[in-house]
Amino acid sequence: MPDTLLAQHAEALRLFGERVRAVADDQWDAPTPCAEWTVRDLVNHVTGEQLWIPPLVTEGRTVEELGDAFSGDVLGEDPVAAWDRASAAAHTAFAAPGVLDRTVRLSYGPALGSAYCSELTADCVVHTWDLSRGIGADDRLPDGLVEFSIKEVMPYADALAGSGMYAEPLEVPPGANAQTRLLALLGRKG
């Protein structure tokens, strides 16, 4: 499982990174399917998520200890370089020996490193679709990442909507493909 999980995580980061590199200079202020986020806001959010990983999983720090360390603009003048640094450090942190079996103290409570990695992998996959839509790129996601994300999100999809971070799940049309099912679980219309 860990090798598969780390491979899925690496693939999700790579895919999101491809989309970040595809953002044209005039697209950073473009809207995304995330109602209140521009392309830059979305990339900033996902980059910020990666920045949390090393101190939480390898240093054993808590969200409370870190406070607002990763609030605000984490992209600076070079969003691509900021993404590259953050994603590389995040993957390295999750790949460290024993990290996936370690308990991580998150804002919603303790979780295994493997659960945290799975959660952020699925989040990165869905936000790759959001970013693709925002910049007009191909929004098809790899089947393996889609299936992985469905399995990750399915148990708590309703709770995500209740958190206010996602829209209510949509009804899935009969015969819908896996990507459409994943997007519908998270309130997105593919």
Side-chain angles (χ1 to χ4, degrees):
M1 170 73 174
D3 290 337
T4 302
L5 175 56
L6 291 174
Q8 297 283 24
H9 182 251
E11 176 67 7
L13 293 174
R14 184 196 62 73
L15 191 62
F16 190 82
E18 284 178 2
R19 297 307 187 276
V20 171
R21 285 178 199 73
V23 177
D25 289 342
D26 64 347
Q27 291 181 312
W28 289 101
D29 291 326
T32 69
C34 301
E36 297 180 17
W37 284 349
T38 64
V39 165
R40 184 176 176 93
D41 296 332
L42 176 64
V43 172
N44 190 70
H45 164 73
V46 179
T47 302
E49 286 185 324
Q50 307 318 305
L51 292 172
W52 284 96
I53 295 167
L56 292 176
V57 304
T58 58
E59 299 169 21
R61 298 185 65 194
T62 66
V63 172
E64 294 78 22
E65 288 172 339
L66 293 168
D68 62 359
F70 305 117
S71 296
D73 179 25
V74 298
L75 298 178
E77 295 295 316
D78 190 346
V80 174
W83 165 257
D84 287 344
R85 283 189 305 275
S87 63
H91 189 68
T92 297
F94 276 133
V99 162
L100 296 180
D101 297 320
R102 192 174 296 159
T103 298
V104 182
R105 293 172 293 170
L106 303 171
S107 59
Y108 54 81
L112 278 178
S114 58
Y116 185 39
C117 185
S118 295
E119 175 188 327
L120 290 183
T121 299
D123 191 67
C124 194
V125 170
V126 172
H127 284 319
T128 296
W129 182 85
D130 294 329
L131 182 54
S132 298
R133 282 289 176 107
I135 64 172
D138 182 0
D139 65 5
R140 287 173 295 170
L141 301 167
D143 292 340
L145 285 177
V146 170
E147 291 295 339
F148 173 90
S149 299
I150 288 172
K151 288 176 189 163
E152 171 61 23
V153 170
M154 183 76 73
Y156 56 86
D158 289 334
L160 288 175
S163 73
M165 294 188 300
Y166 291 89
E168 291 289 327
L170 303 174
E171 188 172 324
V172 180
N177 65 23
Q179 181 169 316
T180 300
R181 289 193 324 269
L182 172 63
L183 297 171
L185 275 172
L186 298 172
R188 288 161 168 84
K189 194 171 188 169

